[in-house]
Amino acid sequence: MNYSTVSMPGMMDTVLNIGLNDETVEGLAKATDNPRFAWDSYRRLLDMFGEVVLGIPHEDFEKRFDKVKENANAKSDVDLTVDELKILCDEYKQVYKEQNQYF
């Protein structure tokens, strides 16, 4: 049997981009000369950390994501600008506050 094709329950939950915060995201943007990449990575961390580590329902983040996309007339995350991703990160941090959690 090839075990690499079989996942154990819960083993696929991974949190990426650990180390990003309000300060380091600016450094990543500068170091890569790609602010969109940096802010998209940060919003993904806020989402994954909240869900996987703190148990915040993913739907809470998705509602905010949908709201920002709607306000930006965007169909997906790739359509969001850097400024819109910054707004989305702020929205995600509001989700933490509403859950009495902090990032």
Side-chain angles (χ1 to χ4, degrees):
M1 174 175 217
N2 180 356
Y3 290 104
S4 65
T5 61
V6 180
S7 170
M8 294 181 67
M11 295 303 291
M12 296 304 290
D13 289 336
T14 303
V15 178
L16 304 174
N17 309 315
I18 294 291
L20 286 178
N21 59 43
D22 291 345
E23 292 178 29
T24 60
V25 69
E26 293 293 348
L28 180 61
K30 193 178 289 185
T32 62
D33 196 30
N34 190 341
R36 193 188 183 292
F37 162 74
W39 283 95
D40 189 50
S41 296
Y42 188 30
R43 73 105 184 155
R44 290 172 188 271
L45 170 61
L46 289 166
D47 184 345
M48 288 187 292
F49 187 86
E51 180 183 1
V52 174
V53 177
L54 299 176
I56 297 172
H58 181 68
E59 295 77 28
D60 292 0
F61 295 105
E62 279 299 309
K63 288 177 192 172
R64 301 297 178 110
F65 187 42
D66 290 342
K67 181 179 127 185
V68 171
K69 283 192 305 185
E70 183 180 331
N71 290 342
N73 293 317
K75 292 182 181 179
S76 72
D77 61 330
V78 297
D79 299 322
L80 296 176
T81 66
V82 172
D83 287 336
E84 291 159 345
L85 288 169
K86 288 179 181 182
I87 291 168
L88 184 55
C89 287
D90 287 340
E91 289 290 327
Y92 281 5
K93 287 184 254 181
Q94 280 300 119
V95 170
Y96 279 78
K97 287 181 183 176
E98 290 168 5
Q99 295 285 329
N100 295 316
Q101 300 287 345
Y102 298 93
F103 182 83

